C-alpha cells in the first residue's frame, strides 16, 4: 500500500498491517479489473454455439469433467481473482434463473468490458460509461420484446417446445440425438407442470444415468427408477399391480430412544426375550400382509433374518432407499410414507401398475422400475451412454433443456437464435445512440458493438469468415427489415432462423443482457482495490 | 554540571510510546486527512465503489462510507475517531456516512495552517463549536416541513428522499423502483421501532427489477424431511401455529436410563415414547392450524404426520423470521403444545410456496396486523446483492427518520453552499481571530459540492464559482450541483432532497470529532503485552513490521 508521509518524512501507520496490503486505485484499478473479466470471457468464447468446443477440466482430486456448459466450466475452474469471481457468479445466476445461456452471458459481459476499456482510454468517466450501458440495455430489452413472438402449445401440440429445446441441445455434445432428447425433456416437463399456475417443480423430475448402452437408449420413464434391487435374489422380479408400503422404520424390534437396559437373570427370561424378538418380526410382516401390500420399500435396512422371513412369507422388499427417492415414490404412487407398522392402513399404500427389476448387459447391476403409477406427477429420465463423462454432460444438457422448457411454460415468448436477435438489438441500439445527447452516446454505441460480439463468436466458432458474415447478415436485416436473419452455423443454406427453427426464450435473452450489464456496471464502478498483497 | 550526573527518571514502562506538542496535532490531522481521502471518491451519484479484500478472503464491494471505514481496519488512534463518527452516523441516521468523514477531514485540513502558525487549538475549537451551532440553526430555518400532508402526498415526498440516497449507490439506475419499495415497507411497519420487522432476503440470480416486496413475511424453505413434498403448498386464510419446540421422536430426558427386568414390558416403553410424540402432534393438529412453524426441528415423523392431515409444516425456521411471522400474523410463539387456544394462532390471507430463482420461498401475504414487510432482493452476483442490501438499509433508515422528523433540505450540495455563505456573512460581523476561523469553517463546508463535481469529472472551481454567485443572489438558496449536465440547478425543484436530520447530525458529529482531534496534544501508547510482541515480532524482518506493534511514530522520534 502506498505509504503516506507527514512533514517530517515519517511514514504513517493508519491501517493495520499496512505494508502487507496492496492497493490499486483509479484508472489503473479499472484496467486491471477489466482485464481480469476479459480473460474469463475469452476462455468461454470458443464454447459458444453449435460448433463450440468443449473444455476438459481436472479437479484437484483427479476427477475429469468435459463440458461446454459455461456455468460448469467456470465453477470448476476455481478462479482466484475477485473480478473473475464476479463473472463466475454472473454465469451462475444465469444458471439459477434461466438454466441456459450461461456461456453467452459471460461472453457478452467480456465484450462490454472490452468496449468500456476503449472508452476509458478516451477519458470518459466510468460512471458515464456505465450509465450509457444501462440505457442501451433498456433499449435492447425493449427491442427483444418487440421482435419476440408468442406461440401456443398444449400437451398434445408440443412441436414448438421441442424445437426450442433442440436449439439449446444443438450446442452440446449430445446434439447427435437432440431430437429424441428434446422430446424427452419436453414430455418430462409437461408431465410435472402445473399449466394453470404456470409453475414447474423441477424437483419432481429425476435424472438417473448408467454407464453402458447407447445415448439413443436414453428414455423417459413415467414413474420412478431406483438404483436398488430386491433384497433377496429369490424374490419375484416383476410385480403387476403392486401395492407398495413405503416405510421409514426398519424391520427390527423397535428401540426406545431413551437409554435402556434389559436385565436378564434367568434362562426363562432369555427365552421370552428371544421369542418376543421373533414375534416382532412376525408381526411386522403380518401387518404389511394384512393391509394388502405386495411390495415393501424401506428407508432402512433389515437383517438376514427379516430378509428370510419376508421371502418366506412371499413379500418382496427393497431396502436402503434414500429419503428423496422415497418421497418421489410416494408422490408418484400416491402412497403415504409410513413411520410405524401400526400406522399401516390400506389407504396409505401406493399403487403402481408394474414394478420390475431390470438388469443391464453382462453386469450384475440391476435397477428397479416403478411404472404406470397412480399419479404420474413424478418422472425419471434415464440416461445411457458410453462413459461417465458423457453421461454427466448429458445430464447437464438435459437440465438446460428442462429449464428452457420450463421457462417457455412460464412465458411463451420466443426470439430467434443464431445471433439474429443480438444483431437486431445492435441495430436498434445503434440507431438510438445517435439520438442521445451527451457523453453517454459513445457508451451506447459501444454497447451496440459489444452485442455483435456474440454472432461474431458464433461465426468464428463455425469456421465462417466472421466479419464478412456479420456485415452480410446485418445489411440483410436492415434491407429486408427482417429481424430473423442470423448466422448459418450449420451450413443449411439459409440464414433465416425462422426457417431453420432456431428458437430461444425471450426471458433468457433479456436476462442475459440485463445481468451482463449489471455486472459490468459493478466492475466499472470500482476505482479502488485494497487486498492483502500476498497470501 | 550536576544535572548531567542525575539518573534518568523513568516514568513510563519500557517501550511506551509518547508523542506530544504541535507536531503531534499536525500528525493527527494528516492521518485523518488521508483517511478522508480514501472515502472521498465514493460521494455522490457519480461516486465510485471500493473493492476491499480482507485476509480471510472475503470480498466487499461498497460505496457506503461506514462499511468502507469499518473494513479498512484502521489502527491509527486519531484516525480511528473518524471511523467512530462514521459508525455513529450510520446507527443514528443511517445515511451520510461519507459526508460526515469528509466534513471532519476538511475541518481539520482547514485548521492545519492555523495550528502551524501557532494558534492555540482551544481558540479554534471554540470558534468551530460556535460555527456549528450557527450552521445547525440555519439548517433548521431552511428546512421545509412535510408534516400535515395526506398519506399519498407524504409517500411521494418520502420516495424523493429515498431516491436521493439511492442515487449514489450501485442500484441508482433503478432508484424510483426501489424508493417506492422502501417507502412501502417503512409505511407498512408504521411507527414501530423495531427495524428488524423489515426483512431483506437475498436470492442470487435475476435482474434487480425482479426484486419484490411482500406485505408480510417471506423466507427460504427450510431443510425438509421426506414427506414434505406431499404437503399442500397453498392456503387461503390459514391459521398459523408458531412453536419453539422439537417435534421429533427422541428421548425425553438426556441422561435417563430405563431398567427392565421383564422383557414383556419392553413394548410398553416403546409405546410410551411414541405416544408422547403422537400426543404432541395430535395437539398441533387439533389446534386447527393449517401451517405449523417451529424454530427447532420437525422430524420426518412429524412431517409425514402433518402431510397426512394436509397441514404445512416447516422446522428450523430462523428465529428472526419466526418473530416476523409472529408480528405479521398476530400469533404468539408457543413453547408447549398444551392448551393451544384460538388467540395464539396467527392468521394471514394467503400462504404459498413459490419458486424464486433457484430457491423455494414460503410467503405469507395479506397479513392481519400488517406491520411487517419483506423485501426480496435479486441480483447478478453475491457482492451485488450485499451492496444492494446495504443501500436499501440506508434508504430505509432515511425514510424512517424523515417520517419521524419530517423536514427536508435540498441536497446536491445546495444546503452546504447556503450555510457556507451564511457563515461567511456572519464572520464579517465578528471582531477578532474568530472571524478567520469561522471563515475557514465555512470554506470547509464547500467540500461537498466540490467533491460532487470532482467525482463527476466536472471543473469544480468553475461550478463552485457559479454556485457562490447564485447563492449570493437573493433567490439562489436552493441551487446545487447538477451532476447530469455539469452546471448548477435548483435541487429543491429537481427533488434532490435529504432529511434535515442527516445534515444536522453530520455537521454535529464532524465538528465534535474535529474538535476532539484538535484538543489532543499528547498520545501515550502502552507497549503491547509480551505475547503480542512476540507474535508480531515473528512476522517478517522488514523494518515496517518491527515497529508496527508499538505504534511506530514515537519510536522514530527518539
Amino acid at each position: 500500500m502506498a505509504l503516506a508521509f507527514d512533514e517530517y518524512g515519517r511514514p504513517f501507520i493508519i491501517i493495520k498491517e499496512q505494508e502487507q496490503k496492496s492497493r490499486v486505485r483509479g484508472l489503473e484499478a479499472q484496467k486491471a479489473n477489466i482485464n481480469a473479466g476479459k480473460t474469463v470471457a475469452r476462455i468461454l468464447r470458443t464454447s459458444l454455439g453449435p460448433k463450440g468446443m468443449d473444455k476438459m477440466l481436472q479437479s484437484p482430486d483427479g476427477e475429469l469433467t468435459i463440458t461446454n456448459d459455461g456455468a460448469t466450466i467456470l465453477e470448476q475452474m476455481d478462479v482466484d481473482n475477485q473480478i473473475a469471481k464476479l463473472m463466475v457468479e454472473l454465469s451462475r445466476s444465469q444458471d439459477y434463473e434461466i438454466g441456459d445461456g450461461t456461456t453467452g452471458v459471460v461472453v457478452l459481459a467480456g465484450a462490454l468490458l472490452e468496449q468500456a476499456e476503449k472508452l476509458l482510454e478516451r477519458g470518459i468517466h466510468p460512471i458515464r460509461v456505465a450509465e450509457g450501458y444501462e440505457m442501451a440495455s433498456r433499449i435492447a430489452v425493449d427491442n427483444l420484446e418487440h421482435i419476440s413472438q408468442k406461440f401456443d402449445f398444449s400437451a398434445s401440440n408440443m412441436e414448438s417446445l421441442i424445437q426450442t429445446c433442440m436449439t439449446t441441445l444443438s450446442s452440446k455434445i449430445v446434439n447427435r440425438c437432440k431430437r429424441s432428447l428434446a422430446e424427452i425433456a419436453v414430455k418430462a416437463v409437461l408431465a410435472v407442470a402445473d399449466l394453470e399456475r404456470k409453475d414447474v417443480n423441477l424437483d419432481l423430475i429425476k435424472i438417473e444415468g448408467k454407464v453402458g448402452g447407447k445415448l439413443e437408449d436414453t428414455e423417459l420413464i413415467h414413474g420412478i427408477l431406483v438404483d436398488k434391487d430386491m433384497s433377496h435374489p429369490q424374490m419375484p422380479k416383476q410385480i403387476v399391480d403392486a401395492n407398495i408400503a413405503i416405510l421409514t422404520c426398519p424391520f427390527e424390534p423397535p428401540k426406545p430412544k431413551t437409554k435402556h437396559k434389559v436385565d436378564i437373570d434367568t434362562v426363562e427370561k432369555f427365552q421370552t426375550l428371544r421369542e418376543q424378538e421373533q414375534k416382532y418380526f412376525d408381526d411386522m410382516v403380518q401387518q404389511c400382509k394384512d393391509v394388502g401390500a405386495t411390495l415393501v420399500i424401506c428407508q432402512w435396512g433389515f437383517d438376514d433374518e427379516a430378509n428370510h422371513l419376508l421371502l418366506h412369507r412371499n413379500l418382496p422388499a427393497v431396502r436402503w432407499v434414500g429419503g428423496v427417492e422415497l418421497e418421489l415414490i410416494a408422490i408418484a404412487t400416491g402412497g403415504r410414507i409410513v413411520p410405524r407398522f401400526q400406522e399401516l392402513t390400506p389407504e396409505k399404500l401406493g399403487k403402481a401398475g408394474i414394478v420390475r427389476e431390470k438388469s443391464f448387459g453382462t453386469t450384475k447391476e440391476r435397477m428397479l422400475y416403478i411404472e404406470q403409477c397412480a399419479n404420474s406427477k413424478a418422472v425419471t429420465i434415464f440416461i445411457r451412454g458410453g462413459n461417465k463423462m458423457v453421461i454427466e454432460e448429458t445430464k447437464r444438457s438435459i437440465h438446460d433443456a428442462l429449464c428452457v422448457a420450463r421457462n417457455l411454460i412460464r412465458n411463451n415468448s420466443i426470439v430467434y437464435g443464431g445471433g439474429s436477435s443480438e444483431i437486431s438489438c445492435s441495430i436498434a441500439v445503434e440507431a438510438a445512440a445517435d439520438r442521445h445527447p451527451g457523453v453517454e452516446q459513445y457508451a451506447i454505441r459501444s454497447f451496440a458493438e459489444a452485442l455483435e460480439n456474440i454472432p461474431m463468436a458464433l461465426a468464428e466458432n463455425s469456421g465462417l469468415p466472421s466479419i464478412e458474415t456479420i456485415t452480410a447478415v446485418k445489411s440483410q436485416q436492415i434491407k429486408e427489415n427482417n429481424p430473423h436473419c442470423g448466422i448459418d452455423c450449420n451450413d443449411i443454406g439459409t440464414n433465416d432462423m425462422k426457417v431453420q427453427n432456431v428458437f430461444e426464450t425471450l426471458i433468457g435473452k433479456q436476462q442475459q443482457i440485463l445481468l451482463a450489464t449489471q455486472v459490468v456496471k459493478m466492475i466499472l464502478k470500482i476505482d479502488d482495490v485494497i487486498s492483502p498483497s500476498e497470501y | 554540571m550536576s544535572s548531567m550526573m542525575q539518573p534518568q527518571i523513568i516514568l513510563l514502562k519500557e517501550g511506551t510510546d509518547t508523542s506530544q506538542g504541535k507536531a503531534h496535532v499536525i500528525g493527527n490531522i494528516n492521518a485523518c486527512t488521508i483517511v478522508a481521502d480514501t472515502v472521498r471518491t465514493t460521494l455522490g451519484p457519480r461516486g465510485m465503489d471500493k473493492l476491499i479484500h480482507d485476509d480471510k478472503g472475503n470480498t466487499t464491494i461498497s460505496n457506503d462510507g461506514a462499511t468502507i471505514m469499518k473494513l479498512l481496519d484502521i489502527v491509527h488512534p486519531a484516525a480511528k475517531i473518524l471511523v467512530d463518527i462514521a459508525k455513529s452516523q450510520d446507527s443514528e441516521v443511517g445515511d451520510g456516512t461519507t459526508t460526515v468523514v469528509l466534513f471532519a477531514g476538511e475541518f481539520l485540513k482547514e485548521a492545519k495552517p492555523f495550528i502551524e502558525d501557532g494558534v492555540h487549538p482551544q481558540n479554534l475549537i471554540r470558534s468551530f463549536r460556535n460555527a456549528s451551532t450557527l450552521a445547525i440553526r440555519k439548517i433548521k430555518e431552511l428546512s421545509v416541513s412535510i408534516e400535515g400532508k395526506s398519506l399519498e402526498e407524504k409517500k411521494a415526498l418520502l420516495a424523493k428522499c429515498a431516491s436521493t440516497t439511492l442515487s449514489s449507490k450501485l442500484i441508482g439506475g433503478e432508484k424510483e423502483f426501489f424508493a417506492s419499495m422502501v417507502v412501502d415497507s417503512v409505511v407498512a411497519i408504521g411507527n414501530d421501532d423495531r427495524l428488524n420487522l423489515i426483512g431483506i432476503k437475498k436470492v442470487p440470480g435475476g435482474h434487480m427489477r425482479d426484486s419484490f416486496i411482500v406485505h408480510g413475511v417471506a423466507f427460504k424453505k427450510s431443510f425438509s424431511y421426506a414427506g414434505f413434498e406431499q404437503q399442500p403448498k397453498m392456503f387461503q386464510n390459514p391459521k398459523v401455529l408458531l412453536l419453539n419446540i422439537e417435534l421429533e421422536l427422541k428421548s425425553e430426558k438426556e441422561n435417563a436410563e430405563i431398567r427392565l427386568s421383564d422383557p414383556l414390558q419392553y413394548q410398553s416403553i416403546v409405546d410410551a415414547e411414541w405416544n408422547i410424540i403422537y400426543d404432541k402432534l395430535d395437539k398441533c393438529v387439533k389446534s386447527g392450524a393449517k401451517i405449523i412453524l417451529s424454530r427447532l426441528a420437525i422430524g420426518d415423523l412429524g412431517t409425514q404426520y402433518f402431510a397426512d392431515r394436509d397441514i404445512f409444516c416447516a422446522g428450523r425456521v430462523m428465529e428472526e423470521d419466526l418473530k416476523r411471522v409472529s408480528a405479521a400474523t398476530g400469533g404468539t410463539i408457543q413453547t408447549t403444545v398444551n392448551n393451544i387456544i384460538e388467540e395464539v394462532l396467527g392468521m394471514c390471507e394467503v400462504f404459498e410456496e413459490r419458486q424464486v430463482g433457484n430457491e423455494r420461498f414460503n410467503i405469507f401475504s395479506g397479513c392481519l396486523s400488517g406491520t411487517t414487510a419483506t423485501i426480496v432482493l435479486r441480483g447478478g452476483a453475491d457482492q451485488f446483492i450485499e451492496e444492494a442490501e446495504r443501500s436499501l438499509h440506508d434508504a430505509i433508515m432515511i425514510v424512517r427518520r424523515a417520517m419521524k422528523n419530517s423536514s427536508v433540505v435540498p441536497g446536491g450540495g445546495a444546503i452546504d453552499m447556503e450555510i457556507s455563505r451564511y457563515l461567511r456573512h456572519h464572520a464579517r460581523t465578528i471582531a477578532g481571530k474568530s472571524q478567520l476561523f469561522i471563515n475557514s469553517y465555512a470554506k470547509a463546508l464547500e467540500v461537498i459540492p466540490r467533491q460532487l463535481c470532482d467525482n463527476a469529472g466536472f471543473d469544480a472551481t468553475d461550478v463552485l464559482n457559479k454556485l457562490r454567485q447564485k447563492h449570493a443572489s437573493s433567490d439562489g438558496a436552493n441551487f446545487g450541483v447538477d451532476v447530469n449536465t455539469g452546471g448548477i440547478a435548483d435541487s429543491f425543484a429537481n427533488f434532490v432532497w435529504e432529511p434535515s436530520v442527516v445534515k444536522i447530525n453530520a455537521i454535529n458529529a464532524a465538528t465534535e470529532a474535529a474538535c476532539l482531534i484538535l484538543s489532543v496534544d499528547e498520545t501515550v501508547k502502552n507497549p503491547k503485552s509480551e505475547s503480542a510482541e512476540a507474535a508480531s515480532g515473528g512476522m517478517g524482518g522488514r523494518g515496517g513490521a518491527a515497529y508496527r506493534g508499538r505504534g511506530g511514530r514515537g519510536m522514530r522520534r527518539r
Side-chain angles (χ1 to χ4, degrees):
Chain A
M1 187 157 193
L3 283 180
F5 296 96
D6 67 3
E7 278 86 297
Y8 306 96
R10 295 176 320 213
F12 273 121
I13 308 290
I14 296 175
I15 295 166
K16 205 165 140 195
E17 293 173 5
Q18 186 161 271
E19 321 76 46
Q20 292 181 13
K21 290 202 171 137
S22 67
R23 178 170 182 185
V24 205
R25 55 194 303 181
L27 203 56
E28 203 185 326
Q30 272 144 2
K31 288 232 173 110
N33 291 343
I34 288 176
N35 251 326
K38 264 164 52 186
T39 317
V40 174
R42 213 171 295 141
I43 295 171
L44 286 193
R45 204 180 145 98
T46 54
S47 295
L48 195 74
K51 295 269 154 68
M53 304 299 276
D54 289 1
K55 310 275 170 213
M56 188 181 209
L57 302 143
Q58 192 171 14
S59 74
D61 37 337
E63 218 169 284
L64 267 187
T65 312
I66 296 178
T67 182
N68 89 356
D69 181 55
T72 316
I73 298 174
L74 290 178
E75 204 98 340
Q76 305 262 333
M77 278 202 322
D78 198 14
V79 294
D80 204 31
N81 183 289
Q82 291 312 313
I83 300 298
K85 268 188 192 156
L86 277 180
M87 301 290 269
V88 175
E89 269 171 31
L90 167 71
S91 98
R92 193 187 303 152
S93 64
Q94 173 83 9
D95 193 28
Y96 284 170
E97 195 69 7
I98 306 294
D100 182 40
T102 49
T103 316
V105 68
V106 176
V107 172
L108 182 61
L112 285 174
L113 285 175
E114 205 170 325
Q115 294 291 341
E117 194 177 17
K118 284 184 205 154
L119 294 176
L120 291 183
E121 264 164 24
R122 283 176 162 183
I124 297 180
H125 196 279
I127 305 260
R128 307 295 292 250
V129 177
E131 271 167 18
Y133 278 1
E134 187 92 24
M135 288 174 204
S137 75
R138 245 172 257 160
I139 299 167
V141 167
D142 289 345
N143 183 59
L144 281 176
E145 187 97 48
H146 180 66
I147 62 168
S148 72
Q149 292 190 343
K150 282 198 185 295
F151 65 86
D152 293 318
F153 63 87
S154 62
S156 52
N157 173 23
M158 45 194 188
E159 186 54 34
S160 43
L161 285 177
I162 294 174
Q163 290 289 357
T164 320
C165 287
M166 274 169 66
T167 309
T168 304
L169 290 174
S170 63
S171 66
K172 311 284 179 190
I173 198 166
V174 295
N175 59 9
R176 183 157 52 94
C177 40
K178 59 181 174 188
R179 173 82 206 179
S180 61
L181 288 182
E183 270 172 29
I184 288 174
V186 171
K187 278 182 192 155
V189 168
L190 284 178
V192 301
D194 186 344
L195 287 179
E196 253 154 54
R197 273 180 69 209
K198 295 196 169 183
D199 189 32
V200 182
N201 189 351
L202 287 185
D203 289 344
L204 293 178
I205 301 176
K206 196 173 162 223
I207 302 179
E208 262 311 320
K210 198 153 193 79
V211 179
K214 302 192 293 270
L215 201 55
E216 282 81 356
D217 294 338
T218 302
E219 56 182 333
L220 175 71
I221 298 161
H222 284 280
I224 308 291
L225 186 69
V226 192
D227 193 2
K228 292 281 176 302
D229 50 7
M230 295 292 179
S231 60
H232 198 287
Q234 280 175 308
M235 284 179 183
K237 302 283 180 251
Q238 184 161 342
I239 302 160
V240 181
D241 289 330
N243 288 330
I244 307 169
I246 304 158
L247 298 170
T248 51
C249 47
F251 264 98
E252 56 185 49
K255 281 196 202 91
K257 294 270 174 178
T258 314
K259 221 159 120 193
H260 60 280
K261 229 179 210 171
V262 183
D263 288 331
I264 307 284
D265 40 17
T266 61
V267 180
E268 285 76 44
K269 273 193 185 170
F270 186 76
Q271 283 291 352
T272 23
L273 189 71
R274 169 86 195 119
E275 271 162 29
Q276 248 196 328
E277 257 182 33
Q278 268 176 339
K279 193 169 169 308
Y280 270 122
F281 282 122
D282 236 29
D283 282 353
M284 285 187 285
V285 179
Q286 192 55 44
Q287 268 158 346
C288 295
K289 276 286 204 199
D290 282 349
V291 294
T294 51
L295 175 68
V296 175
I297 290 177
C298 191
Q299 192 174 14
W300 306 104
F302 33 84
D303 54 18
D304 288 345
E305 196 176 338
N307 203 357
H308 170 78
L309 202 65
L310 284 166
L311 177 70
H312 194 68
R313 304 288 294 266
N314 197 13
L315 187 61
V318 186
R319 56 183 156 181
W320 296 120
V321 178
V324 182
E325 285 160 343
L326 206 70
E327 197 167 3
L328 279 174
I329 293 173
I331 293 170
T333 60
R336 288 289 180 180
I337 301 169
V338 178
R340 214 182 166 202
F341 288 99
Q342 281 89 326
E343 295 235 327
L344 269 174
T345 55
E347 302 85 61
K348 288 188 176 174
L349 297 182
K351 308 266 186 298
I354 185 162
V355 178
R356 61 197 165 97
E357 199 184 88
K358 195 176 167 192
S359 54
F360 296 99
T362 53
T363 56
K364 279 190 180 158
E365 287 168 52
R366 297 190 187 86
M367 283 182 131
L368 203 65
Y369 285 62
I370 303 172
E371 285 172 302
Q372 295 169 19
C373 302
N375 170 7
S376 60
K377 272 245 156 193
V379 295
T380 308
I381 297 172
F382 184 46
I383 299 168
R384 304 303 310 273
N387 59 45
K388 202 165 160 242
M389 274 169 277
V390 169
I391 288 182
E392 289 299 313
E393 177 66 0
T394 312
K395 269 189 191 173
R396 280 189 289 272
S397 312
I398 294 251
H399 172 255
D400 282 9
L402 289 176
C403 289
V404 166
R406 178 191 63 179
N407 294 339
L408 281 174
I409 286 174
R410 281 201 195 143
N411 180 352
N412 61 352
S413 301
I414 48 143
V415 290
Y416 291 90
S420 65
S421 50
E422 280 89 357
I423 294 179
S424 161
C425 286
S426 166
I427 293 170
V429 170
E430 213 169 325
D434 296 336
R435 286 196 298 275
H436 195 277
V439 189
E440 285 87 358
Q441 194 187 95
Y442 278 88
I444 297 176
R445 206 170 285 141
S446 301
F447 191 93
E449 247 167 78
L451 276 173
E452 276 172 25
N453 219 304
I454 292 206
M456 188 96 77
L458 273 178
E460 272 168 27
N461 291 347
S462 313
L464 298 169
S466 53
I467 304 214
E468 281 163 41
T469 320
I470 302 275
T471 43
V473 170
K474 205 170 168 184
S475 70
Q476 195 184 349
Q477 277 212 10
I478 295 177
K479 220 187 301 167
E480 297 173 12
N481 198 14
N482 174 11
H484 310 309
C485 296
I487 310 292
D488 180 16
C489 299
N490 292 325
D491 219 12
I492 292 182
T494 168
N495 51 16
D496 191 330
M497 291 298 141
K498 202 171 180 177
V499 181
Q500 280 205 19
N501 279 332
V502 179
F503 308 134
E504 282 182 72
T505 55
L506 170 68
I507 38 176
K509 265 277 132 40
Q510 286 182 329
Q511 193 78 22
Q512 270 189 356
I513 292 180
L514 289 173
L515 276 179
T517 315
Q518 196 183 65
V519 166
V520 168
K521 189 176 169 198
M522 187 166 192
I523 294 176
L524 285 178
K525 259 194 114 182
I526 299 168
D527 78 330
D528 202 341
V529 179
I530 300 172
S531 56
S533 59
E534 63 219 77
Y535 287 93
Chain B
M1 281 162 79
S2 62
S3 63
M4 290 275 289
M5 299 306 292
Q6 257 179 4
Q8 204 181 353
I9 300 171
I10 295 170
L11 197 62
L12 297 167
K13 218 160 87 184
E14 171 98 8
T16 305
D17 169 22
T18 64
S19 62
Q20 52 186 308
K22 196 164 95 181
H24 180 65
V25 180
I26 300 227
N28 281 345
I29 291 177
N30 283 341
C32 293
T33 324
I34 289 167
V35 173
D37 277 347
T38 315
V39 293
R40 195 172 275 274
T41 54
T42 64
L43 188 81
R46 297 273 152 109
M48 306 294 278
D49 290 1
K50 309 273 165 197
L51 189 153
I52 299 170
H53 182 186
D54 67 13
D55 333 337
K56 294 176 205 86
N58 301 327
T59 318
T60 314
I61 296 177
S62 184
N63 169 291
D64 180 50
T67 312
I68 298 170
M69 295 295 273
K70 202 157 59 198
L71 288 169
L72 276 179
D73 208 359
I74 288 171
V75 289
H76 191 282
K80 252 187 175 166
I81 295 173
L82 292 191
V83 182
D84 289 343
I85 55 168
K87 270 188 201 156
S88 85
Q89 176 86 4
D90 193 31
S91 50
E92 190 66 24
V93 204
D95 188 36
T97 47
T98 312
T99 313
V100 72
V101 175
L102 266 189
F103 270 149
E106 203 63 21
F107 291 154
L108 289 170
K109 208 169 169 184
E110 288 295 332
K112 194 164 117 184
F114 293 117
I115 302 276
E116 273 169 349
D117 288 349
V119 174
H120 195 279
Q122 287 300 345
N123 271 335
L124 270 168
I125 291 171
R126 199 177 318 122
S127 305
F128 276 13
R129 287 234 165 95
N130 267 338
S132 89
T133 327
L134 285 169
I136 286 164
R137 200 183 302 147
K138 186 70 184 168
I139 293 177
K140 283 185 178 150
E141 217 172 275
L142 285 171
S143 65
V144 178
S145 172
I146 56 170
E147 201 67 68
K149 303 269 170 68
S150 72
L151 185 68
E152 279 311 306
E153 244 175 299
K154 212 167 172 181
K155 261 188 168 174
L157 296 174
L158 290 174
K160 304 256 159 55
C161 290
S163 57
T164 306
T165 306
L166 290 174
S167 64
S168 66
K169 311 285 183 187
L170 200 52
I171 53 177
E174 305 284 351
K175 60 183 177 192
E176 287 88 9
F177 177 71
F178 282 106
S180 68
M181 195 183 266
V182 164
V183 172
D184 274 355
S185 60
V186 174
V187 170
I189 68 162
N191 284 328
D192 205 312
D193 268 339
R194 288 170 296 170
L195 192 60
N196 56 13
L197 287 181
I198 301 179
I200 298 182
K201 297 282 158 192
K202 296 167 277 188
V203 189
H207 186 248
M208 47 189 170
R209 274 226 167 234
D210 296 334
S211 308
F212 59 92
I213 177 170
V214 178
H215 288 283
V217 190
F219 56 86
K220 209 155 71 180
K221 186 193 115 176
S222 46
F223 177 80
S224 62
Y225 288 93
F228 179 76
E229 289 297 333
Q230 286 182 303
Q231 295 175 346
K233 298 296 166 55
M234 170 103 188
F235 287 103
Q236 298 284 348
N237 293 319
K239 292 202 172 106
V240 187
L241 175 62
L242 307 166
L243 294 171
N244 191 9
I245 51 167
E246 277 183 359
L247 291 175
E248 242 180 324
L249 182 63
K250 55 156 195 170
S251 59
E252 279 304 303
K253 276 269 179 286
E254 280 292 313
N255 43 11
E257 193 185 291
I258 305 169
R259 271 173 185 272
L260 295 173
S261 50
D262 184 1
L264 289 171
Q265 290 169 347
Y266 193 79
Q267 182 64 35
S268 62
I269 302 293
V270 175
D271 284 344
E273 275 192 351
W274 281 85
N275 282 338
I276 291 174
I277 177 75
Y278 272 131
D279 186 45
K280 279 187 191 166
L281 293 175
D282 192 46
K283 275 179 179 150
C284 294
V285 176
K286 285 234 175 75
S287 71
K290 280 285 159 204
I291 297 168
I292 295 172
L293 304 178
S294 176
R295 198 176 71 78
L296 298 169
I298 295 183
D300 49 353
L301 178 66
T303 310
Q304 287 144 21
Y305 192 88
F306 291 137
D308 274 352
R309 286 152 186 80
D310 283 340
I311 291 173
F312 177 89
C313 73
R316 302 224 169 115
V317 179
M318 301 277 279
E319 191 170 2
E320 53 183 58
D321 287 330
L322 203 65
K323 278 191 180 147
R324 230 176 274 140
V325 177
S326 154
T329 61
T332 11
I333 300 170
Q334 300 293 303
T335 46
T336 166
V337 288
N338 294 322
N339 286 329
I340 297 175
I341 43 170
E342 192 70 26
E343 281 83 69
V344 300
L345 296 180
M347 278 280 281
C348 73
E349 255 168 42
V350 183
F351 165 81
E352 68 171 325
E353 193 190 79
R354 206 192 300 167
Q355 183 96 24
V356 179
N358 208 25
E359 314 271 5
R360 289 198 85 84
F361 261 72
N362 298 326
I363 295 174
F364 296 81
S365 47
C367 293
L368 217 55
S369 41
T371 54
T372 54
T374 307
I375 296 173
V376 179
L377 273 180
R378 311 296 316 275
D382 283 345
Q383 275 102 344
F384 185 89
I385 310 181
E386 296 279 330
E387 173 65 1
E389 187 192 359
R390 279 191 291 272
S391 313
L392 280 191
H393 174 255
D394 282 9
I396 288 172
M397 293 294 283
I398 282 297
V399 174
R400 278 165 52 88
R401 292 304 293 204
M403 276 222 338
K404 272 193 201 144
N405 191 342
S406 42
S407 64
V408 292
V409 291
I415 186 77
D416 310 276
M417 280 311 280
E418 184 59 19
I419 302 168
S420 169
R421 184 200 62 82
Y422 166 73
L423 285 179
R424 224 176 298 126
H425 192 73
H426 174 82
R428 270 179 239 139
T429 62
I430 304 171
K433 274 191 228 166
S434 191
Q435 184 188 15
L436 274 175
F437 306 151
I438 291 189
N439 238 335
S440 64
Y441 189 92
K443 184 154 175 262
L445 287 174
E446 282 178 3
V447 67
I448 300 287
R450 184 160 3 108
Q451 198 58 45
L452 281 176
C453 291
D454 278 347
N455 288 351
F458 304 137
D459 184 349
T461 329
D462 186 37
V463 176
L464 274 192
N465 282 336
K466 276 191 209 157
L467 275 179
R468 277 197 209 108
Q469 182 264 335
K470 199 78 197 171
H471 278 261
S473 67
S474 57
D475 58 346
N478 290 335
F479 273 75
V481 181
D482 183 348
V483 282
N484 294 318
T485 61
I488 57 172
D490 188 336
S491 296
F492 214 80
N494 285 342
F495 301 118
V496 182
W497 295 359
E498 290 177 272
S500 49
V501 64
V502 174
K503 269 281 132 68
I504 293 175
N505 206 56
I507 289 184
N508 237 337
T511 313
E512 281 303 318
C515 293
L516 190 64
I517 290 166
L518 285 177
S519 67
V520 173
D521 76 333
E522 176 157 356
T523 305
V524 178
K525 201 171 174 190
N526 283 322
K528 287 207 172 155
S529 60
E530 284 300 315
S531 57
E533 190 91 335
S536 66
M539 289 168 71
R542 273 185 297 164
Y547 61 76
R548 170 167 43 79
R550 307 189 187 170
R553 294 178 333 94
M555 284 292 289
R556 277 292 168 92
R557 295 180 73 201
R558 266 186 274 153

